[in-house]
Amino acid sequence: FMQLTAYEIGTGDWCSVVCSSVVVVLYCRAGLRSCLLGEKLATQTGQSVMHLEGGILAWQQAGKSVE
């Protein structure tokens, strides 16, 4: 698990943490920002990127734990 800061996301520094052996799953509160960032990340790196559809809110509504 790796959490990126807003600075890393805003500057593009997050590209340096992605390699072909890492599974990238993004999430945000409602899913829109992670979807948009995932598309950008996949385009820039050529790697497969997944995101949590509906965000952390949908995760919680499905009864999943958040710690």
Side-chain angles (χ1 to χ4, degrees):
F1 175 76
M2 179 180 292
Q3 184 173 352
L4 300 177
T5 66
Y7 171 79
E8 291 167 322
I9 293 169
T11 61
D13 289 347
W14 45 266
C15 291
S16 64
V17 302
V18 177
C19 69
S20 61
S21 63
V22 175
V23 175
V24 177
V25 180
L26 304 172
Y27 70 92
C28 64
R29 185 171 185 270
L32 179 60
R33 289 172 294 165
S34 61
C35 180
L36 296 174
L37 182 61
E39 290 173 357
K40 184 175 182 179
L41 180 60
T43 298
Q44 290 186 0
T45 65
Q47 300 298 321
S48 177
V49 178
M50 297 182 286
H51 84 101
L52 183 59
E53 189 171 336
I56 202 70
L57 292 176
W59 182 265
Q60 289 175 309
Q61 288 175 345
K64 305 292 184 181
S65 108
V66 178
E67 295 184 35

